[in-house]
Amino acid sequence: MKPLDPRLLRHARAARGVLLIGAGLGALRTLAILAWSWLLAQALAVAVLPVLGGLGGAAGRVSEGALPPEQLPWLLLGALAALCIRSAASWGMDAVAARGAVQVKSQLRAAALDALDASSPLREGPSDAEQATVLGRGLDALDGYFSAYVPQLILTAVATPLLVLAVLIADPVSGVVVLIVFPVIPVFMILIGLATQAVQDRQWAQLQRLSSSFLDAVSGLATLKIFGREGRQSARIARETDEYRSRTMKVLRVTFLSGFVLDLAGTFSIALVAVTVGTRLVDGAFPLALGLFVLLLLPEVFIPIRQVGAAFHASTEGLAASTQVFDLIERGADARVSAVDAGEGVLVDAVVLSRGGRRVAGPVTLSADPGEVVGIAGPSGAGKSTLIAALLGFIAPEEGRIARPAEVAWSGQRPGLLQGSLSENVALGDSRPDAALVQRALAAVGLAGLDPETQLGATGAGLSGGQAQRVAIARCLYRAWSRDAALLLLDEPTSALDAENEALVCRALREEAQAGRAVLVVSHRPAVLAAADRVVRVEPAAALGASGAAGGTTATGQEEGA
């Protein structure tokens, strides 16, 4: 887990502004600290030296470098002004960090959602519950990272070297002691950080398991109640909740321990320097004003590194979530839609497809000309949906060539309905839905009786499974008509339909072919395959080994008449 992941600057441009503005404010704050320490030290020396002289304690170099007593009001006024500047700079850093946190979260969420939108439906990655946890609760934890950790990190990088240099110039002996004892704190930070990362990773993984269990229970609640199993799921969620509570307490224990250790190390370091300064003051070998300046400056040297350690441990949840968000964004960037050749119809020429380094289909050869309905059949797992994903450009073929029209209308195995009106779901992606086309698309799939303004719940709640599937087909038709798409791709469009509605959908697909479009449909249903002009059978890639080697077979796509 990196204190500052470079990918944050790459994927969230607002983070760059936070660091640049924060560095400027941190430098201003450091200069104010130096001025405040010097002015206050001089004011204290001016006020105390007459008293020490009267007691006989200002011998040697103790009064060296002290200003005249008349300067005391100006010294106090200057110290107050420096304190105000320091406070204003600190407030500015916190405000910039808080505003930056909002912008960074927004940019990371937008980039992650764009990556999900551009990735393949067959992508391998986190579950929906894990993604919701990362993009919701996980990114919200970045508030603590930016409001507490980032300002202290900036101060550590900007202020600490300047303050150490100031101590070294003011008193080389104290500066050398600081340089010797200072590395102790980063060593403790690293050791405690390793322990914190381990417990934090386990807590984050437990939170994701809890989220997945809850989402699964909610989505299947109706089925669980039918079979009387809701009590078991409730008990399982309670166990995982208790486990998450236990892991959270472990994280808090390590966090408090880290704060104690860092404070202890810092206190010992300051005390060691203070003893050397005090000894020389008592011996009369050190000016009082300079000694006070060094003593006032010492806590400021160690405060940023101590606080950055404590803040880092308190913000590890946001760091863990941001790491997963970066992985999600980069997976989406790697899975951008691949280029396919342009053509009037569909041509798949000896295409080999792989997922996760394993061949799942191919070589496949098929074609679909305008005006044709071509069915794709084959056993489950043969790679039919993977072939559709390749036609959509979500998967790049390892071998072979794919050509298809530029505009494609698609309907997948899952309806993918969203909360909103029926009309918005049919015209998904269209900023100004055409009401006439929406009504026509619904009528084509036998849903003319539904009001287009009917409001659907989450994931299309309010419709039966068959109705939801027909709404997805209506969406495909709407896109074909509104974008003049030359190709329709449908994956198991009638798996949840009865024979009557299945015949209605087959008739709608035939009408689209007669209108000059190419229609490619994946199905196990005999009625759909019987309605196609041709059927291409796709066999599992593993089944080709013996036949391919012995008989010279070069394609898994075998055409047969419908």
Side-chain angles (χ1 to χ4, degrees):
M1 190 180 297
K2 301 176 182 178
L4 181 63
D5 197 321
R7 293 179 294 179
L8 180 65
L9 305 180
R10 197 161 62 243
H11 298 304
R13 301 178 65 181
R16 306 174 193 172
V18 172
L19 294 180
L20 290 175
I21 298 175
L25 292 173
L28 177 62
R29 181 181 182 275
T30 304
L31 295 177
I33 289 174
L34 291 171
W36 174 81
S37 299
W38 187 85
L39 291 168
L40 186 59
Q42 291 290 341
L44 290 173
V46 168
V48 171
L49 280 175
V51 179
L52 292 178
L55 298 176
R61 299 180 58 197
V62 172
S63 60
E64 182 180 307
L67 297 177
E70 308 81 59
Q71 300 293 327
L72 182 59
W74 295 106
L75 291 173
L76 293 176
L77 185 61
L80 180 61
L83 183 62
C84 292
I85 294 174
R86 171 183 177 175
S87 301
S90 299
W91 175 85
M93 291 183 68
D94 292 340
V96 168
R99 183 176 180 83
V102 175
Q103 295 176 337
V104 166
K105 289 192 300 182
S106 175
Q107 291 175 357
L108 288 180
R109 280 199 180 100
L113 292 173
D114 287 343
L116 289 174
D117 183 58
S119 62
S120 167
L122 303 177
R123 60 182 168 77
E124 297 179 358
S127 66
D128 291 344
E130 291 173 339
Q131 292 172 10
T133 303
V134 170
L135 297 179
R137 162 70 182 271
L139 283 184
D140 285 339
L142 283 177
D143 286 332
Y145 175 78
F146 273 92
S147 61
Y149 174 73
V150 169
Q152 296 305 322
L153 180 65
I154 294 173
L155 286 177
T156 301
V158 174
T160 301
L162 294 177
L163 295 175
V164 171
L165 180 62
V167 173
L168 194 61
I169 293 174
D171 180 23
V173 175
S174 298
V176 170
V177 174
V178 169
L179 291 176
I180 293 174
V181 301
F182 189 84
V184 173
I185 296 180
V187 170
F188 279 120
M189 286 176 57
I190 294 172
L191 294 177
I192 298 173
L194 295 175
T196 303
Q197 180 177 352
V199 296
Q200 180 64 61
D201 288 346
R202 287 194 291 268
Q203 184 216 24
W204 180 247
Q206 180 62 32
L207 175 61
Q208 291 184 318
R209 284 195 296 270
L210 177 60
S211 301
S212 299
S213 298
F214 182 75
L215 183 61
D216 291 342
V218 170
S219 61
L221 187 58
T223 304
L224 291 172
K225 291 184 71 67
I226 289 174
F227 291 97
R229 311 288 282 188
E230 68 275 12
R232 179 171 296 184
Q233 293 299 316
S234 177
R236 181 165 68 94
I237 292 175
R239 286 196 304 271
E240 294 184 352
T241 301
D242 187 66
E243 177 68 17
Y244 177 67
R245 178 196 60 79
S246 175
R247 295 193 182 279
T248 301
M249 294 304 297
K250 290 180 181 178
V251 172
L252 291 176
R253 283 199 297 269
V254 174
T255 300
F256 291 142
L257 175 63
S258 69
F260 169 74
V261 171
L262 293 176
D263 286 340
L264 187 64
T267 301
F268 283 159
S269 302
I270 294 172
L272 184 61
V273 178
V275 167
T276 62
V277 172
T279 301
R280 285 180 291 163
L281 281 173
V282 171
D283 194 42
F286 201 63
L288 177 62
L290 188 58
L292 291 173
F293 173 69
V294 171
L295 291 177
L296 287 173
L297 211 56
L298 275 177
E300 303 295 341
V301 173
F302 291 97
I303 282 176
I305 190 68
R306 289 159 55 193
Q307 291 185 344
V308 78
F312 174 73
H313 299 310
S315 61
T316 48
E317 182 177 350
L319 284 173
S322 64
T323 300
Q324 293 192 5
V325 172
F326 298 147
D327 294 339
L328 185 65
I329 293 173
E330 289 172 356
R331 276 198 304 269
D334 294 338
R336 296 292 178 186
V337 176
S338 59
V340 294
D341 297 336
E344 294 185 358
V346 176
L347 175 62
V348 177
D349 185 13
V351 166
V352 175
L353 301 172
S354 298
R355 288 173 56 191
R358 180 179 61 88
R359 178 185 289 193
V360 295
V364 178
T365 298
L366 62 86
S367 63
D369 297 325
E372 276 192 313
V373 177
V374 177
I376 300 178
S380 298
K384 302 184 297 299
S385 296
T386 305
L387 178 60
I388 293 294
L391 284 166
L392 290 168
F394 290 128
I395 298 177
E398 287 190 358
E399 301 175 14
R401 184 174 71 93
I402 294 178
R404 62 159 173 80
E407 284 291 341
V408 179
W410 170 61
S411 176
Q413 289 186 8
R414 293 185 296 178
L417 302 186
L418 306 175
Q419 186 172 2
S421 69
L422 188 61
S423 175
E424 290 171 340
N425 274 276
V426 172
L428 186 65
D430 196 339
S431 58
R432 295 182 178 179
D434 187 323
L437 279 185
V438 169
Q439 191 65 54
R440 177 187 167 192
L442 291 173
V445 294
L447 295 176
L450 292 181
D451 184 0
E453 298 307 315
T454 300
Q455 293 296 315
L456 306 181
T459 67
L463 297 177
S464 67
Q467 287 176 322
Q469 193 167 47
R470 283 185 284 166
V471 170
I473 300 170
R475 176 191 294 164
C476 178
L477 296 175
Y478 179 92
R479 181 178 178 87
W481 298 336
S482 61
R483 306 287 184 89
D484 193 23
L487 172 63
L488 272 67
L489 294 175
L490 300 99
D491 194 354
E492 299 287 358
T494 64
S495 58
L497 303 185
D498 55 25
E500 181 180 352
N501 287 312
E502 185 175 52
L504 195 63
V505 170
C506 290
R507 185 162 58 249
L509 298 181
R510 172 56 59 188
E511 290 174 355
E512 293 307 305
Q514 292 173 351
R517 296 184 174 89
V519 179
L520 203 60
V521 54
V522 173
S523 183
H524 288 97
R525 304 287 288 260
V528 176
L529 298 178
D533 297 312
R534 291 182 291 112
V535 175
V536 178
R537 295 199 61 83
V538 177
E539 299 297 337
L544 299 177
S547 62
T553 302
T554 58
T556 56
Q558 299 175 358
E559 296 188 5
E560 59 185 36

